Amino acid sequence: MDFEPKILGIACNWCTYTGADLAGTTRLQYPQNVRVVRVMCSSRINPSFIFRALQLGADGVLVGGCHPGDCHYNTGNLYARRRLATTKKILEFAGIEPGRFRVEWISASEGNRFAEVVEEFTTQVKNLGPQTKLKIQE
Amino acid sequence: MTDFKKIEENLKKEAKRLLESGEVTVVLAYGKGFDEKHPMPFAAKSVADVDNIVFNEYCNYNMARYLVRYPQGTKIAIAVKAADSRAVIQLIQEEKIKKENLVLLGIPVIGMKNPKTDEVIDSKTTCGMHNPVLYDVLLGEEVHGQKIVSPYDVLAEYEAMDKDARWQFWKDQFDKCIRCYACRKACPMCYCDPCFIDQNKPKWADKAPQSPGNIMYHLTRFHHLAGRCIDCGECSRACPVDIPLYLFHKKVAKECEEMFNQVSGMSIEDKPVLVNFRVEDSDKILE
Amino acid sequence: MLKKTAIEKISQLAAVLMEKGTLLAPVKEVAGHNFAEINDPQKVDLNFYNTIISPKGAFFPPKEDFIKYKIGKTITEAEQIKVDSKPVFLFGVRPCDVKSFSIMDIHFNAAGIIDPYWSQRRKATTIFGYAYDLNQPVDAADFYNSLGIYAADPEGSDIFMVKKDKDLLLKGITPKGEELLAQLNTLVDAGKDDEKYYEETLKKGKEYKTRFLCIDQDVIAKKLEAVFNNNDFWTKVSSACLSCGACTFVCPNCYCFDICDDTIFGKGTRRRVWDACMFTDFTLEASGHNPRTQVYQRLRQKINHKYSYHVKKYGVISCVGCGRCTRSCPVNIDIYSIVEEALKL
Ligand code: SF4
Ligand code: SF4
Ligand code: SF4
Ligand code: SF4
């Protein structure tokens, strides 16, 4: 049986989430592996969300926010960029495949882009196989 | 070599002067412990206390840890070695303390030792600097002409590991952790009340000292220290089971330095990198 | 009965014990020695002064699972986890630590309060006490003499071990120990000179001096009670304290614990984990009130509990002077010096 990864998507309300919506309403096809959670801004994402998601069984985490400069709160994603970049480095040094975590800027009008990214990321995580390092074993 | 006795004398002299004149109410320095090899962090509050002050190669405590314990506005003199002065700068950046309330008694020193192993602590487990970055009074001769070794050299071995081996390395280390939280408590930058690990709602991690909770505690703590850790190595020396936390902190510091082009605790004008941004930060850092 | 074996051949003894049950013995770790369950008999290493963490974990593990449960929409299942009562051999415990078990029994294994986990483990365990090596210097942090314990006290052990050059002498102390000794076929009978050496070591143990506080425990208890309100004193002695849990976690006599539920997706475990009076949130009440907000209050509690309240309530100091808290304290706070200073007030 093919491995179907579980991916947590965290999308900002103003851009990526709306973009995902657009992808839906324009009936674009993309893999269903990403479960999207909406947050108000990508800077609301506590790095522990990502660690915790991986512990609770996510095989990958995809974060989406507005393009730098387009943040609804002006600078939220600029903070988030630094913070999430650090998160990525930490995962990497801990020995977790960096390919399991990705940050993308997707605007409200980029339904296509959203579908593309999900497609790409899902394939990538699929190729990495199940995430067992951080996952809490019963 | 550093003249420890001379520094001790100067430290006592300065402490006495500052307390006598009422310029400060507390002098954070080092005091006698139960034997020579085990001095203690010490807060001198009166001229009579000054006699208890010592300085020797085992006084590696980062006294900046105690600054936040005193109410804002308390006039404090603090003995600082290189890394300790960086901790003070970092705390000033984070607006936990104000420069005007502090008198920094700078101690330039080489040859501090870890009492547990008797090894000289240098760039391997700390930032490897010898002279305080910021001080008001210097208690000894500045150290010059030492070979400059990057504090990140120790990382090479671990960076070269393949990721599965590195994961195994860290997992084995974290599995040893008994969750005594000495690392957090010894750290000058860990002043949160409550710390995320003590929170119940949300409960970020298991309380039990076993793999999942330990990993969550440490990864999150490394993240909280990103761009703030000044590489004093106190966390690792405090750890009763000798987990080399400094390695991870160094790695994160190195990455932050590369990404944001700023070293923690070097200037009071700086802002901590993670509460700051530049519009021109590159998306490359996310790759 | 006195038996002996070459220290070199200790792994053979370990292998025999492993066949009979679980073997807990000192192993070398990076930072020093610690008790661990032995999977490889070669790992047993008797070349240690004392372990970093006390052997209390043999009976009171850092994490003890009580109940596994499932919380569903309608049904909630729960299942109690039983203690495995396989025989356990706790090998190489220093006399001060052996003493600590009997003090801990007050809390976990006395009339009225029997902790099934502690008491079952206690019953299943055979304790191999191990005299300090009298040829090695005493660690400066130790002060077990003050608590009436000597370097070669067999009291409390089932089997007591003494090192004689390259040999290890094993003496059965309790019937349980004697019986086990008789079954251990890797051991040989000890000779006359060994007997003599063993007896002499017990005697010489009294001369192996640690720091000593020559004061009656009731005097200490009263004194500490009297200085309870001396905030200056407590602030001074605690000014370096970081309020971490290192001292209590390594202590053989600290027994505070927390019970917590770790649940993920409706499945979870109720477990007991070590807690420490030195933690900021130890006394935090549900209302948000915290009666001990200051570091000095917490350190005072720790010391008074051991040296004052415990004496008044149970008639014994809850400390065996093993020196672990002092050795593990990141800032070298020394409980002995604090008590000593309090007595001078
Ligand atoms: S994390 Fe460790 S090395 Fe960094 S500042 Fe804190 S105590 Fe010092
Ligand atoms: S680990 Fe994080 S939350 Fe806890 S004290 Fe340190 S910085 Fe604060
Ligand atoms: S000091 Fe060491 S054992 Fe204690 S919590 Fe930190 S890493 Fe764990
Ligand atoms: S006495 Fe030492 S080990 Fe105990 S809480 Fe204070 S600093 Fe930590």
Side-chain angles (χ1 to χ4, degrees), chain B residues 39-40 61 66 69 180 185 203, chain C residues 240-241 245 261-262 280 331-332:
Chain B
M40 290 165 66
Y61 313 107
Y66 299 93
R69 208 177 269 184
C180 68
K185 288 295 189 175
K203 186 166 153 188
Chain C
C241 178
D261 292 353
D262 288 329
T280 326
V331 293
N332 299 327

Side-chain angles (χ1 to χ4, degrees), chain B residues 205-259:
Chain B
D206 293 356
K207 301 273 176 206
Q210 53 181 355
S211 234
N214 294 0
I215 290 169
M216 191 70 186
Y217 166 59
H218 287 292
L219 291 189
T220 305
R221 187 168 167 274
F222 295 142
H223 208 303
H224 289 188
L225 272 303
R228 305 173 58 234
C229 164
I230 45 73
D231 205 358
C232 60
E234 277 293 272
C235 45
S236 319
R237 281 192 294 278
C239 179
V241 292
D242 272 11
I243 300 178
L245 300 166
Y246 64 89
L247 286 172
F248 216 119
H249 286 296
K250 274 174 189 284
K251 174 66 181 174
V252 180
K254 181 180 173 194
E255 293 288 353
C256 285
E257 205 178 310
E258 277 164 15
M259 289 190 293

Side-chain angles (χ1 to χ4, degrees), chain A residues 87-98, chain B residues 163 166 248 255 287:
Chain A
T87 312
K88 188 147 186 159
K89 306 290 186 235
I90 289 175
L91 286 174
E92 202 173 333
F93 195 58
I96 316 293
E97 300 79 8
Chain B
K163 59 181 183 332
R166 201 157 56 216
F248 216 119
E255 293 288 353
E287 277 159 20

